[in-house]
Amino acid sequence: MTWYPHRRIRAVPDGLLGPLGLLLCAGLLEAAPRLGLVPAAYLPPLSETAAALADEAAGGAFWSALADTLRGWGYGLAVAAAAGVGLGLVIGGAAPLRRVTASTIEFLRPIPSVALVPLAVLLYGTGQTSTLLLVVYASVWPVLLQVLAGVRDVDPVARDTAAGFRLSWWLRLRHLVWPTTLPFLMTGLRLAASVALILAVTAQLVIGAPGLGREIARAQAANAVDRMYALVVVTGLLGVAVNAGARALERRVLFWHASVRKEAAA
């Protein structure tokens, strides 16, 4: 009888595969330094990292840094979303404007936000405003590009019909452009949410603005390796929570869309 490994894997319920993977990863992180596979001075066992995380959670400085990171992420994402939606609808709705701005967008979009760190520090110092600038610049592009794609995806026949009936700009936006653009927008927001968190932590790490990034840099400078890894784990958990929240919001907003109904049925 031939044995196929994938049959055994499929026997495990899908809901348990994620926790099972986390358990295996946790076991590896605990065993590798204890067995001498990696130096414990550079990668302490997971139990020591968990103990350091518990110590951090008992202090007020940790929660203050977490609040600063969430504040920079939330404000930056909100500004980027508003700017991306507004510019996308305006630029996407006018063909001449799309042609005029296409080269500018393609020039600015690939510039890494980290390259703007000297400019941000020069303009706003090492405070939260510098973090906000970098977060907005990085996360506005997924929203803007997705909105532009959504506006271009409007059915030409429906567009011509609306023009033939002389619908106002507002009615066309509400009943034609917005329903078509919304799925693209939700994808852009989901991508922008993760990018905003990455840049918030990175800006704090590089610039020294208040937040988890600065605490990670301080722990590394003090050679508090277990504390450094504990803070890194917190940023990872934040990323998981942000992605899960964005997907939940996407499913709630797009409950009427075929892709969400198909996912729910599966």
Side-chain angles (χ1 to χ4, degrees):
M1 180 177 178
T2 305
W3 178 74
Y4 296 97
H6 68 276
R7 291 182 178 176
R8 289 290 184 87
I9 295 175
R10 288 180 179 177
V12 179
D14 291 342
L16 295 179
L17 291 177
L20 180 61
L22 289 177
L23 288 176
L24 291 175
C25 181
L28 179 62
L29 292 176
E30 181 69 23
R34 294 194 182 279
L35 295 176
L37 300 178
V38 294
Y42 301 127
L43 181 63
L46 184 62
S47 57
E48 296 182 9
T49 301
L53 179 57
D55 292 339
E56 285 293 315
F62 167 77
W63 296 107
S64 177
L66 179 61
D68 287 331
T69 297
L70 291 176
R71 192 178 299 115
W73 167 78
Y75 290 165
L77 181 60
V79 173
V85 171
L87 289 174
L89 292 176
V90 172
I91 295 174
L97 196 56
R98 286 201 305 270
R99 290 192 291 268
V100 168
T101 58
S103 57
T104 303
I105 291 175
E106 291 303 317
F107 170 73
L108 294 176
R109 182 175 59 89
I111 297 177
S113 295
V114 180
L116 300 180
V117 166
L119 176 62
V121 173
L122 181 64
L123 293 176
Y124 302 110
T126 59
Q128 283 283 12
T129 308
S130 296
T131 301
L132 186 64
L133 174 64
L134 297 176
V135 169
V136 170
Y137 184 84
S139 53
V140 72
W141 300 113
V143 179
L144 174 59
L145 295 177
Q146 287 295 322
V147 172
L148 288 174
V151 174
R152 287 197 303 268
D153 197 58
V154 174
D155 188 354
V157 175
R159 192 192 301 272
D160 293 342
T161 302
F165 280 98
R166 297 184 179 180
L167 296 183
S168 66
W169 177 86
W170 169 249
L171 289 177
R172 277 183 282 180
L173 175 64
R174 180 181 177 183
H175 298 290
L176 181 62
V177 176
W178 185 249
T180 306
T181 305
L182 190 56
F184 291 85
L185 170 60
M186 296 310 300
T187 300
L189 287 177
R190 176 160 49 84
L191 297 174
S194 298
V195 171
L197 180 62
I198 293 171
L199 262 296
V201 176
T202 301
Q204 294 160 2
L205 184 65
V206 175
I207 296 176
L212 290 174
R214 185 174 70 175
E215 296 304 314
I216 292 174
R218 287 180 173 178
Q220 188 271 337
N223 201 30
V225 181
D226 53 351
R227 179 171 178 263
M228 181 190 71
Y229 278 110
L231 294 171
V232 170
V233 168
V234 172
T235 60
L237 293 176
L238 276 180
V240 172
V242 165
N243 185 66
R247 286 191 174 277
L249 178 63
E250 185 177 19
R251 287 192 295 268
R252 186 175 182 85
V253 173
L254 299 178
F255 65 92
W256 50 270
H257 197 261
S259 61
V260 175
R261 294 202 306 269
K262 185 183 300 184
E263 181 180 349

